[in-house]
Amino acid sequence: MLAWQGMRATFLPKVWEQVSGAQEFLRRLKQKAGWPADFWAADLEVWRYETEIVGPVRAAESGRPTAA
């Protein structure tokens, strides 16, 4: 996530699969925020986070018996 003067832009980590590397990722993130590709500021905040994919547990995977 990039943040600067109350403006922010973030991508889910899944977007990494769609770009060629870190520089391209930052360029696209800056574009999403409405900043030029070469934008940088001394007070620009850069945050990194992880996500976890959560979905329903099927009965067979949970160890519970299935209804017949």
Side-chain angles (χ1 to χ4, degrees):
M1 176 185 300
L2 298 179
W4 181 69
Q5 296 188 353
M7 298 174 11
R8 292 186 214 177
T10 189
F11 285 140
L12 293 175
K14 183 103 173 135
V15 174
W16 273 103
E17 298 170 6
Q18 301 171 9
V19 296
S20 59
Q23 289 180 332
E24 177 70 8
F25 187 87
L26 278 175
R27 186 186 67 73
R28 289 188 186 191
L29 197 52
K30 290 176 189 179
Q31 183 179 36
K32 183 177 180 184
W35 304 323
D38 62 348
F39 173 80
W40 200 259
D43 58 343
L44 178 69
E45 297 178 37
V46 180
W47 301 345
R48 180 178 171 175
Y49 62 92
E50 296 180 14
T51 61
E52 183 176 337
I53 298 172
V54 180
V57 177
R58 293 182 283 212
E61 295 172 354
S62 69
R64 288 183 260 148
T66 58

Short mmCIF file of all heavy atoms in Angstrom, two decimals:
data_model
loop_
_atom_site.label_atom_id
_atom_site.label_comp_id
_atom_site.label_asym_id
_atom_site.label_seq_id
_atom_site.Cartn_x
_atom_site.Cartn_y
_atom_site.Cartn_z
N MET A 1 0.86 -1.16 0.00
CA MET A 1 0.00 0.00 0.00
C MET A 1 0.90 1.22 0.00
O MET A 1 1.92 1.26 0.69
CB MET A 1 -0.90 0.01 1.24
CG MET A 1 -1.73 1.27 1.32
SD MET A 1 -2.72 1.45 2.83
CE MET A 1 -3.73 0.02 2.75
N LEU A 2 0.53 2.21 -0.79
CA LEU A 2 1.21 3.50 -0.79
C LEU A 2 0.24 4.53 -0.21
O LEU A 2 -0.95 4.50 -0.53
CB LEU A 2 1.59 3.93 -2.21
CG LEU A 2 2.56 3.03 -2.97
CD1 LEU A 2 2.80 3.60 -4.37
CD2 LEU A 2 3.86 2.89 -2.23
N ALA A 3 0.75 5.42 0.62
CA ALA A 3 -0.09 6.47 1.19
C ALA A 3 0.71 7.77 1.22
O ALA A 3 1.90 7.78 1.57
CB ALA A 3 -0.53 6.10 2.60
N TRP A 4 0.03 8.87 0.86
CA TRP A 4 0.69 10.18 0.86
C TRP A 4 -0.38 11.25 0.96
O TRP A 4 -1.31 11.29 0.15
CB TRP A 4 1.51 10.37 -0.40
CG TRP A 4 2.24 11.65 -0.48
CD1 TRP A 4 3.30 12.06 0.28
CD2 TRP A 4 1.98 12.72 -1.38
NE1 TRP A 4 3.71 13.31 -0.09
CE2 TRP A 4 2.91 13.74 -1.12
CE3 TRP A 4 1.05 12.92 -2.39
CZ2 TRP A 4 2.95 14.94 -1.82
CZ3 TRP A 4 1.08 14.10 -3.09
CH2 TRP A 4 2.01 15.09 -2.80
N GLN A 5 -0.28 12.07 1.96
CA GLN A 5 -1.18 13.21 2.18
C GLN A 5 -2.66 12.83 2.06
O GLN A 5 -3.44 13.49 1.37
CB GLN A 5 -0.83 14.35 1.23
CG GLN A 5 0.54 14.92 1.48
CD GLN A 5 0.84 16.17 0.68
OE1 GLN A 5 0.06 16.59 -0.18
NE2 GLN A 5 1.98 16.77 0.97
N GLY A 6 -3.03 11.75 2.72
CA GLY A 6 -4.42 11.33 2.76
C GLY A 6 -4.89 10.52 1.56
O GLY A 6 -6.02 10.06 1.54
N MET A 7 -4.04 10.33 0.57
CA MET A 7 -4.39 9.51 -0.60
C MET A 7 -3.70 8.17 -0.48
O MET A 7 -2.55 8.08 -0.04
CB MET A 7 -3.98 10.23 -1.89
CG MET A 7 -4.70 11.54 -2.06
SD MET A 7 -4.18 12.60 -3.45
CE MET A 7 -3.15 11.65 -4.46
N ARG A 8 -4.39 7.10 -0.87
CA ARG A 8 -3.84 5.75 -0.77
C ARG A 8 -4.14 4.94 -2.01
O ARG A 8 -5.13 5.17 -2.69
CB ARG A 8 -4.45 5.00 0.41
CG ARG A 8 -4.09 5.51 1.73
CD ARG A 8 -4.65 4.58 2.77
NE ARG A 8 -5.03 5.37 3.93
CZ ARG A 8 -5.60 4.88 4.99
NH1 ARG A 8 -5.91 3.61 5.03
NH2 ARG A 8 -5.88 5.64 6.00
N ALA A 9 -3.31 3.95 -2.22
CA ALA A 9 -3.56 2.97 -3.27
C ALA A 9 -3.04 1.63 -2.80
O ALA A 9 -1.99 1.55 -2.17
CB ALA A 9 -2.86 3.37 -4.57
N THR A 10 -3.78 0.58 -3.09
CA THR A 10 -3.36 -0.76 -2.69
C THR A 10 -3.81 -1.77 -3.74
O THR A 10 -4.77 -1.54 -4.47
CB THR A 10 -3.93 -1.15 -1.30
OG1 THR A 10 -3.33 -2.37 -0.89
CG2 THR A 10 -5.43 -1.29 -1.33
N PHE A 11 -3.08 -2.83 -3.83
CA PHE A 11 -3.44 -4.00 -4.64
C PHE A 11 -3.43 -5.20 -3.72
O PHE A 11 -2.60 -5.26 -2.80
CB PHE A 11 -2.41 -4.28 -5.74
CG PHE A 11 -2.45 -3.35 -6.92
CD1 PHE A 11 -1.27 -2.92 -7.49
CD2 PHE A 11 -3.64 -2.92 -7.48
CE1 PHE A 11 -1.27 -2.09 -8.59
CE2 PHE A 11 -3.65 -2.08 -8.58
CZ PHE A 11 -2.45 -1.68 -9.13
N LEU A 12 -4.26 -6.15 -3.98
CA LEU A 12 -4.16 -7.42 -3.28
C LEU A 12 -2.89 -8.13 -3.76
O LEU A 12 -2.48 -7.95 -4.90
CB LEU A 12 -5.38 -8.29 -3.57
CG LEU A 12 -6.71 -7.79 -3.00
CD1 LEU A 12 -7.85 -8.68 -3.45
CD2 LEU A 12 -6.66 -7.72 -1.49
N PRO A 13 -2.27 -8.90 -2.91
CA PRO A 13 -1.04 -9.59 -3.31
C PRO A 13 -1.20 -10.44 -4.57
O PRO A 13 -0.24 -10.67 -5.29
CB PRO A 13 -0.72 -10.46 -2.09
CG PRO A 13 -1.27 -9.67 -0.95
CD PRO A 13 -2.55 -9.07 -1.48
N LYS A 14 -2.40 -10.88 -4.87
CA LYS A 14 -2.66 -11.67 -6.08
C LYS A 14 -2.23 -10.92 -7.35
O LYS A 14 -1.87 -11.53 -8.35
CB LYS A 14 -4.15 -12.02 -6.14
CG LYS A 14 -4.53 -12.89 -7.27
CD LYS A 14 -4.75 -14.29 -6.81
CE LYS A 14 -5.29 -15.13 -7.93
NZ LYS A 14 -4.63 -16.39 -8.02
N VAL A 15 -2.22 -9.59 -7.30
CA VAL A 15 -1.84 -8.78 -8.46
C VAL A 15 -0.38 -9.04 -8.84
O VAL A 15 0.00 -8.90 -10.01
CB VAL A 15 -2.10 -7.28 -8.21
CG1 VAL A 15 -1.58 -6.42 -9.33
CG2 VAL A 15 -3.59 -7.04 -8.02
N TRP A 16 0.46 -9.45 -7.89
CA TRP A 16 1.86 -9.74 -8.20
C TRP A 16 1.98 -10.71 -9.36
O TRP A 16 2.93 -10.65 -10.14
CB TRP A 16 2.57 -10.33 -6.98
CG TRP A 16 3.13 -9.30 -6.07
CD1 TRP A 16 2.59 -8.89 -4.89
CD2 TRP A 16 4.32 -8.53 -6.25
NE1 TRP A 16 3.39 -7.91 -4.32
CE2 TRP A 16 4.44 -7.68 -5.14
CE3 TRP A 16 5.29 -8.47 -7.24
CZ2 TRP A 16 5.51 -6.79 -4.99
CZ3 TRP A 16 6.35 -7.59 -7.10
CH2 TRP A 16 6.45 -6.77 -5.98
N GLU A 17 1.04 -11.64 -9.48
CA GLU A 17 1.08 -12.63 -10.56
C GLU A 17 0.86 -11.99 -11.93
O GLU A 17 1.18 -12.59 -12.95
CB GLU A 17 0.02 -13.69 -10.32
CG GLU A 17 0.23 -14.48 -9.05
CD GLU A 17 -0.94 -15.37 -8.70
OE1 GLU A 17 -1.90 -15.49 -9.50
OE2 GLU A 17 -0.90 -15.97 -7.61
N GLN A 18 0.34 -10.77 -11.96
CA GLN A 18 0.00 -10.12 -13.22
C GLN A 18 1.05 -9.11 -13.68
O GLN A 18 0.91 -8.52 -14.74
CB GLN A 18 -1.34 -9.42 -13.09
CG GLN A 18 -2.48 -10.35 -12.72
CD GLN A 18 -3.75 -9.61 -12.38
OE1 GLN A 18 -3.85 -8.41 -12.57
NE2 GLN A 18 -4.72 -10.32 -11.85
N VAL A 19 2.08 -8.88 -12.89
CA VAL A 19 3.11 -7.90 -13.24
C VAL A 19 4.48 -8.57 -13.29
O VAL A 19 4.70 -9.61 -12.69
CB VAL A 19 3.13 -6.70 -12.27
CG1 VAL A 19 1.85 -5.91 -12.35
CG2 VAL A 19 3.40 -7.13 -10.86
N SER A 20 5.41 -7.92 -13.99
CA SER A 20 6.72 -8.54 -14.23
C SER A 20 7.72 -8.38 -13.09
O SER A 20 8.76 -9.00 -13.11
CB SER A 20 7.31 -7.97 -15.52
OG SER A 20 7.46 -6.56 -15.40
N GLY A 21 7.43 -7.54 -12.11
CA GLY A 21 8.38 -7.37 -11.01
C GLY A 21 8.00 -6.20 -10.12
O GLY A 21 6.96 -5.55 -10.31
N ALA A 22 8.86 -5.92 -9.15
CA ALA A 22 8.58 -4.89 -8.15
C ALA A 22 8.44 -3.50 -8.76
O ALA A 22 7.55 -2.74 -8.37
CB ALA A 22 9.66 -4.90 -7.09
N GLN A 23 9.30 -3.14 -9.70
CA GLN A 23 9.22 -1.81 -10.31
C GLN A 23 7.90 -1.61 -11.04
O GLN A 23 7.28 -0.55 -10.96
CB GLN A 23 10.40 -1.57 -11.23
CG GLN A 23 11.70 -1.39 -10.49
CD GLN A 23 12.87 -1.16 -11.43
OE1 GLN A 23 12.86 -1.61 -12.58
NE2 GLN A 23 13.89 -0.48 -10.93
N GLU A 24 7.49 -2.62 -11.78
CA GLU A 24 6.21 -2.55 -12.51
C GLU A 24 5.05 -2.48 -11.53
O GLU A 24 4.08 -1.75 -11.74
CB GLU A 24 6.06 -3.77 -13.43
CG GLU A 24 4.76 -3.84 -14.18
CD GLU A 24 4.60 -2.78 -15.26
OE1 GLU A 24 5.57 -2.05 -15.56
OE2 GLU A 24 3.50 -2.66 -15.81
N PHE A 25 5.13 -3.24 -10.45
CA PHE A 25 4.10 -3.21 -9.42
C PHE A 25 3.95 -1.80 -8.84
O PHE A 25 2.85 -1.27 -8.74
CB PHE A 25 4.44 -4.22 -8.32
CG PHE A 25 3.36 -4.40 -7.29
CD1 PHE A 25 2.35 -5.31 -7.49
CD2 PHE A 25 3.37 -3.66 -6.12
CE1 PHE A 25 1.36 -5.50 -6.53
CE2 PHE A 25 2.38 -3.84 -5.15
CZ PHE A 25 1.38 -4.76 -5.37
N LEU A 26 5.07 -1.17 -8.48
CA LEU A 26 5.03 0.19 -7.94
C LEU A 26 4.50 1.18 -8.96
O LEU A 26 3.73 2.08 -8.64
CB LEU A 26 6.42 0.62 -7.47
CG LEU A 26 6.84 0.14 -6.10
CD1 LEU A 26 8.28 0.54 -5.82
CD2 LEU A 26 5.92 0.68 -5.02
N ARG A 27 4.91 1.03 -10.21
CA ARG A 27 4.44 1.94 -11.26
C ARG A 27 2.92 1.87 -11.39
O ARG A 27 2.23 2.88 -11.43
CB ARG A 27 5.10 1.59 -12.60
CG ARG A 27 4.76 2.59 -13.71
CD ARG A 27 5.30 2.15 -15.07
NE ARG A 27 4.66 0.96 -15.59
CZ ARG A 27 3.41 0.93 -16.08
NH1 ARG A 27 2.67 2.00 -16.09
NH2 ARG A 27 2.90 -0.19 -16.55
N ARG A 28 2.39 0.65 -11.40
CA ARG A 28 0.93 0.49 -11.52
C ARG A 28 0.20 0.98 -10.28
O ARG A 28 -0.88 1.55 -10.37
CB ARG A 28 0.58 -0.98 -11.77
CG ARG A 28 0.95 -1.44 -13.14
CD ARG A 28 0.40 -2.82 -13.37
NE ARG A 28 0.85 -3.38 -14.62
CZ ARG A 28 0.35 -4.48 -15.14
NH1 ARG A 28 -0.60 -5.14 -14.50
NH2 ARG A 28 0.80 -4.94 -16.28
N LEU A 29 0.80 0.78 -9.12
CA LEU A 29 0.19 1.24 -7.88
C LEU A 29 0.14 2.77 -7.84
O LEU A 29 -0.87 3.36 -7.45
CB LEU A 29 0.96 0.68 -6.69
CG LEU A 29 0.29 0.71 -5.34
CD1 LEU A 29 -1.10 0.09 -5.37
CD2 LEU A 29 1.16 0.00 -4.31
N LYS A 30 1.21 3.42 -8.26
CA LYS A 30 1.22 4.88 -8.35
C LYS A 30 0.18 5.37 -9.34
O LYS A 30 -0.53 6.35 -9.09
CB LYS A 30 2.61 5.38 -8.76
CG LYS A 30 3.65 5.19 -7.69
CD LYS A 30 5.01 5.62 -8.23
CE LYS A 30 6.12 5.26 -7.30
NZ LYS A 30 7.42 5.67 -7.86
N GLN A 31 0.05 4.69 -10.46
CA GLN A 31 -0.95 5.05 -11.47
C GLN A 31 -2.36 4.94 -10.88
O GLN A 31 -3.20 5.81 -11.09
CB GLN A 31 -0.80 4.14 -12.69
CG GLN A 31 -1.74 4.47 -13.82
CD GLN A 31 -1.53 3.55 -15.01
OE1 GLN A 31 -1.24 2.36 -14.85
NE2 GLN A 31 -1.64 4.10 -16.20
N LYS A 32 -2.60 3.90 -10.12
CA LYS A 32 -3.91 3.71 -9.49
C LYS A 32 -4.21 4.86 -8.53
O LYS A 32 -5.36 5.30 -8.41
CB LYS A 32 -3.94 2.38 -8.73
CG LYS A 32 -5.28 2.08 -8.10
CD LYS A 32 -5.29 0.73 -7.43
CE LYS A 32 -6.66 0.48 -6.81
NZ LYS A 32 -6.69 -0.78 -6.07
N ALA A 33 -3.17 5.37 -7.85
CA ALA A 33 -3.34 6.48 -6.91
C ALA A 33 -3.51 7.82 -7.64
O ALA A 33 -3.87 8.82 -7.03
CB ALA A 33 -2.16 6.55 -5.97
N GLY A 34 -3.23 7.84 -8.95
CA GLY A 34 -3.33 9.08 -9.71
C GLY A 34 -2.03 9.87 -9.73
O GLY A 34 -2.02 11.04 -10.10
N TRP A 35 -0.93 9.23 -9.35
CA TRP A 35 0.37 9.89 -9.35
C TRP A 35 1.16 9.50 -10.59
O TRP A 35 0.95 8.43 -11.16
CB TRP A 35 1.17 9.48 -8.11
CG TRP A 35 0.46 9.73 -6.81
CD1 TRP A 35 -0.34 10.78 -6.51
CD2 TRP A 35 0.48 8.90 -5.65
NE1 TRP A 35 -0.81 10.67 -5.23
CE2 TRP A 35 -0.32 9.53 -4.67
CE3 TRP A 35 1.10 7.71 -5.33
CZ2 TRP A 35 -0.52 9.00 -3.41
CZ3 TRP A 35 0.92 7.18 -4.06
CH2 TRP A 35 0.12 7.81 -3.13
N PRO A 36 2.12 10.33 -11.00
CA PRO A 36 2.99 9.94 -12.12
C PRO A 36 3.82 8.71 -11.76
O PRO A 36 4.10 8.46 -10.58
CB PRO A 36 3.90 11.16 -12.32
CG PRO A 36 3.33 12.26 -11.51
CD PRO A 36 2.41 11.66 -10.49
N ALA A 37 4.25 7.97 -12.76
CA ALA A 37 5.02 6.75 -12.54
C ALA A 37 6.32 7.01 -11.79
O ALA A 37 6.79 6.15 -11.05
CB ALA A 37 5.31 6.06 -13.87
N ASP A 38 6.89 8.19 -11.96
CA ASP A 38 8.17 8.50 -11.29
C ASP A 38 7.97 9.26 -9.98
O ASP A 38 8.94 9.74 -9.38
CB ASP A 38 9.08 9.29 -12.22
CG ASP A 38 8.50 10.64 -12.63
OD1 ASP A 38 7.29 10.88 -12.39
OD2 ASP A 38 9.24 11.45 -13.18
N PHE A 39 6.73 9.35 -9.49
CA PHE A 39 6.45 10.09 -8.26
C PHE A 39 7.16 9.47 -7.07
O PHE A 39 7.21 8.26 -6.92
CB PHE A 39 4.94 10.12 -7.99
CG PHE A 39 4.59 10.72 -6.66
CD1 PHE A 39 4.56 12.08 -6.49
CD2 PHE A 39 4.32 9.91 -5.56
CE1 PHE A 39 4.25 12.64 -5.25
CE2 PHE A 39 4.02 10.45 -4.33
CZ PHE A 39 3.99 11.83 -4.18
N TRP A 40 7.73 10.31 -6.23
CA TRP A 40 8.26 9.89 -4.94
C TRP A 40 8.29 11.11 -4.04
O TRP A 40 8.50 12.22 -4.51
CB TRP A 40 9.66 9.29 -5.05
CG TRP A 40 9.99 8.45 -3.85
CD1 TRP A 40 10.75 8.80 -2.79
CD2 TRP A 40 9.52 7.13 -3.58
NE1 TRP A 40 10.81 7.78 -1.88
CE2 TRP A 40 10.05 6.72 -2.34
CE3 TRP A 40 8.70 6.24 -4.27
CZ2 TRP A 40 9.79 5.48 -1.77
CZ3 TRP A 40 8.45 5.00 -3.70
CH2 TRP A 40 8.99 4.63 -2.46
N ALA A 41 8.06 10.94 -2.76
CA ALA A 41 8.10 12.03 -1.79
C ALA A 41 8.75 11.50 -0.51
O ALA A 41 8.60 10.32 -0.18
CB ALA A 41 6.69 12.54 -1.49
N ALA A 42 9.44 12.36 0.19
CA ALA A 42 10.13 11.96 1.41
C ALA A 42 9.16 11.42 2.45
O ALA A 42 9.51 10.55 3.25
CB ALA A 42 10.92 13.13 1.98
N ASP A 43 7.91 11.90 2.43
CA ASP A 43 6.92 11.45 3.42
C ASP A 43 5.93 10.43 2.86
O ASP A 43 4.91 10.16 3.47
CB ASP A 43 6.19 12.65 4.02
CG ASP A 43 5.48 13.51 2.98
OD1 ASP A 43 5.81 13.40 1.77
OD2 ASP A 43 4.61 14.30 3.37
N LEU A 44 6.25 9.85 1.72
CA LEU A 44 5.42 8.78 1.16
C LEU A 44 5.54 7.56 2.07
O LEU A 44 6.63 7.17 2.46
CB LEU A 44 5.91 8.41 -0.25
CG LEU A 44 5.18 7.27 -0.95
CD1 LEU A 44 3.76 7.67 -1.32
CD2 LEU A 44 5.94 6.85 -2.20
N GLU A 45 4.40 6.98 2.43
CA GLU A 45 4.40 5.78 3.27
C GLU A 45 4.23 4.55 2.39
O GLU A 45 3.38 4.54 1.50
CB GLU A 45 3.27 5.85 4.29
CG GLU A 45 3.40 6.99 5.27
CD GLU A 45 2.24 7.06 6.24
OE1 GLU A 45 1.73 5.99 6.65
OE2 GLU A 45 1.83 8.18 6.56
N VAL A 46 5.02 3.55 2.65
CA VAL A 46 4.95 2.29 1.91
C VAL A 46 4.68 1.19 2.93
O VAL A 46 5.45 1.00 3.87
CB VAL A 46 6.26 2.01 1.16
CG1 VAL A 46 6.17 0.70 0.39
CG2 VAL A 46 6.61 3.17 0.23
N TRP A 47 3.58 0.48 2.76
CA TRP A 47 3.19 -0.59 3.67
C TRP A 47 3.12 -1.90 2.90
O TRP A 47 2.70 -1.94 1.74
CB TRP A 47 1.84 -0.32 4.30
CG TRP A 47 1.74 0.95 5.07
CD1 TRP A 47 2.76 1.75 5.52
CD2 TRP A 47 0.53 1.60 5.48
NE1 TRP A 47 2.25 2.84 6.19
CE2 TRP A 47 0.90 2.78 6.18
CE3 TRP A 47 -0.81 1.30 5.33
CZ2 TRP A 47 -0.04 3.64 6.72
CZ3 TRP A 47 -1.74 2.17 5.88
CH2 TRP A 47 -1.35 3.31 6.57
N ARG A 48 3.46 -2.95 3.58
CA ARG A 48 3.37 -4.29 3.00
C ARG A 48 2.50 -5.13 3.91
O ARG A 48 2.61 -5.06 5.13
CB ARG A 48 4.77 -4.89 2.91
CG ARG A 48 4.79 -6.27 2.33
CD ARG A 48 6.21 -6.75 2.24
NE ARG A 48 6.22 -8.15 1.88
CZ ARG A 48 7.28 -8.85 1.63
NH1 ARG A 48 8.46 -8.28 1.70
NH2 ARG A 48 7.20 -10.10 1.30
N TYR A 49 1.65 -5.94 3.32
CA TYR A 49 0.80 -6.81 4.11
C TYR A 49 0.57 -8.11 3.38
O TYR A 49 0.89 -8.23 2.20
CB TYR A 49 -0.55 -6.13 4.43
CG TYR A 49 -1.39 -5.79 3.23
CD1 TYR A 49 -2.35 -6.68 2.75
CD2 TYR A 49 -1.23 -4.57 2.57
CE1 TYR A 49 -3.13 -6.36 1.65
CE2 TYR A 49 -2.01 -4.24 1.47
CZ TYR A 49 -2.96 -5.15 1.02
OH TYR A 49 -3.73 -4.83 -0.07
N GLU A 50 0.07 -9.09 4.09
CA GLU A 50 -0.25 -10.39 3.53
C GLU A 50 -1.74 -10.64 3.67
O GLU A 50 -2.38 -10.07 4.54
CB GLU A 50 0.53 -11.49 4.26
CG GLU A 50 2.02 -11.37 4.08
CD GLU A 50 2.77 -12.46 4.82
OE1 GLU A 50 2.15 -13.46 5.24
OE2 GLU A 50 3.99 -12.31 4.98
N THR A 51 -2.25 -11.49 2.81
CA THR A 51 -3.65 -11.87 2.91
C THR A 51 -3.74 -13.39 3.05
O THR A 51 -2.78 -14.11 2.77
CB THR A 51 -4.45 -11.44 1.66
OG1 THR A 51 -3.91 -12.09 0.51
CG2 THR A 51 -4.42 -9.94 1.49
N GLU A 52 -4.88 -13.82 3.47
CA GLU A 52 -5.14 -15.25 3.60
C GLU A 52 -6.45 -15.54 2.88
O GLU A 52 -7.44 -14.85 3.08
CB GLU A 52 -5.26 -15.62 5.07
CG GLU A 52 -5.45 -17.09 5.31
CD GLU A 52 -5.47 -17.43 6.79
OE1 GLU A 52 -4.92 -16.66 7.60
OE2 GLU A 52 -6.06 -18.46 7.13
N ILE A 53 -6.43 -16.53 2.03
CA ILE A 53 -7.64 -16.93 1.31
C ILE A 53 -8.45 -17.84 2.22
O ILE A 53 -7.94 -18.84 2.72
CB ILE A 53 -7.31 -17.64 -0.01
CG1 ILE A 53 -6.55 -16.67 -0.93
CG2 ILE A 53 -8.58 -18.16 -0.68
CD1 ILE A 53 -6.01 -17.31 -2.18
N VAL A 54 -9.70 -17.49 2.45
CA VAL A 54 -10.59 -18.24 3.33
C VAL A 54 -11.80 -18.66 2.52
O VAL A 54 -12.37 -17.87 1.78
CB VAL A 54 -11.02 -17.38 4.54
CG1 VAL A 54 -11.94 -18.15 5.45
CG2 VAL A 54 -9.81 -16.86 5.28
N GLY A 55 -12.20 -19.89 2.67
CA GLY A 55 -13.37 -20.38 1.97
C GLY A 55 -14.13 -21.36 2.84
O GLY A 55 -13.68 -21.74 3.92
N PRO A 56 -15.28 -21.77 2.38
CA PRO A 56 -16.08 -22.72 3.17
C PRO A 56 -15.37 -24.07 3.25
O PRO A 56 -14.69 -24.50 2.34
CB PRO A 56 -17.38 -22.83 2.39
CG PRO A 56 -17.04 -22.40 1.00
CD PRO A 56 -15.90 -21.42 1.12
N VAL A 57 -15.54 -24.73 4.37
CA VAL A 57 -14.98 -26.06 4.58
C VAL A 57 -16.03 -27.07 4.17
O VAL A 57 -17.16 -27.03 4.65
CB VAL A 57 -14.58 -26.27 6.06
CG1 VAL A 57 -14.07 -27.69 6.28
CG2 VAL A 57 -13.54 -25.25 6.46
N ARG A 58 -15.65 -27.96 3.30
CA ARG A 58 -16.58 -29.01 2.89
C ARG A 58 -16.60 -30.09 3.96
O ARG A 58 -15.60 -30.33 4.64
CB ARG A 58 -16.16 -29.59 1.55
CG ARG A 58 -16.31 -28.58 0.42
CD ARG A 58 -15.96 -29.20 -0.88
NE ARG A 58 -14.52 -29.27 -0.96
CZ ARG A 58 -13.82 -29.18 -2.09
NH1 ARG A 58 -14.45 -29.04 -3.23
NH2 ARG A 58 -12.52 -29.24 -2.07
N ALA A 59 -17.71 -30.76 4.12
CA ALA A 59 -17.89 -31.77 5.17
C ALA A 59 -16.80 -32.84 5.09
O ALA A 59 -16.27 -33.25 6.11
CB ALA A 59 -19.27 -32.40 5.07
N ALA A 60 -16.44 -33.28 3.90
CA ALA A 60 -15.43 -34.34 3.76
C ALA A 60 -14.08 -33.86 4.26
O ALA A 60 -13.29 -34.64 4.78
CB ALA A 60 -15.34 -34.78 2.29
N GLU A 61 -13.76 -32.58 4.13
CA GLU A 61 -12.48 -32.05 4.58
C GLU A 61 -12.48 -31.77 6.08
O GLU A 61 -11.43 -31.76 6.70
CB GLU A 61 -12.16 -30.75 3.84
CG GLU A 61 -11.94 -30.94 2.36
CD GLU A 61 -11.80 -29.64 1.62
OE1 GLU A 61 -11.98 -28.57 2.22
OE2 GLU A 61 -11.51 -29.67 0.40
N SER A 62 -13.64 -31.56 6.67
CA SER A 62 -13.72 -31.19 8.08
C SER A 62 -13.71 -32.42 9.00
O SER A 62 -13.58 -32.28 10.21
CB SER A 62 -14.98 -30.38 8.35
OG SER A 62 -16.13 -31.21 8.21
N GLY A 63 -13.88 -33.60 8.44
CA GLY A 63 -13.93 -34.81 9.25
C GLY A 63 -15.33 -35.13 9.73
O GLY A 63 -15.55 -36.11 10.39
N ARG A 64 -16.30 -34.25 9.43
CA ARG A 64 -17.69 -34.51 9.81
C ARG A 64 -18.34 -35.42 8.78
O ARG A 64 -18.04 -35.34 7.60
CB ARG A 64 -18.47 -33.19 9.91
CG ARG A 64 -18.05 -32.38 11.12
CD ARG A 64 -18.88 -31.12 11.21
NE ARG A 64 -18.04 -30.04 10.66
CZ ARG A 64 -18.49 -29.00 10.02
NH1 ARG A 64 -19.76 -28.83 9.80
NH2 ARG A 64 -17.67 -28.07 9.59
N PRO A 65 -19.25 -36.26 9.20
CA PRO A 65 -19.95 -37.14 8.25
C PRO A 65 -20.81 -36.32 7.30
O PRO A 65 -21.32 -35.28 7.65
CB PRO A 65 -20.79 -38.06 9.13
CG PRO A 65 -20.88 -37.38 10.46
CD PRO A 65 -19.69 -36.47 10.57
N THR A 66 -20.93 -36.81 6.08
CA THR A 66 -21.78 -36.17 5.09
C THR A 66 -23.18 -36.75 5.16
O THR A 66 -23.37 -37.91 5.51
CB THR A 66 -21.21 -36.34 3.67
OG1 THR A 66 -21.08 -37.73 3.40
CG2 THR A 66 -19.86 -35.65 3.53
N ALA A 67 -24.16 -35.94 4.79
CA ALA A 67 -25.56 -36.42 4.78
C ALA A 67 -25.76 -37.29 3.57
O ALA A 67 -25.27 -37.00 2.49
CB ALA A 67 -26.51 -35.23 4.76
N ALA A 68 -26.49 -38.38 3.74
CA ALA A 68 -26.75 -39.31 2.65
C ALA A 68 -28.04 -39.00 1.97
O ALA A 68 -28.94 -38.44 2.46
CB ALA A 68 -26.74 -40.74 3.13
#
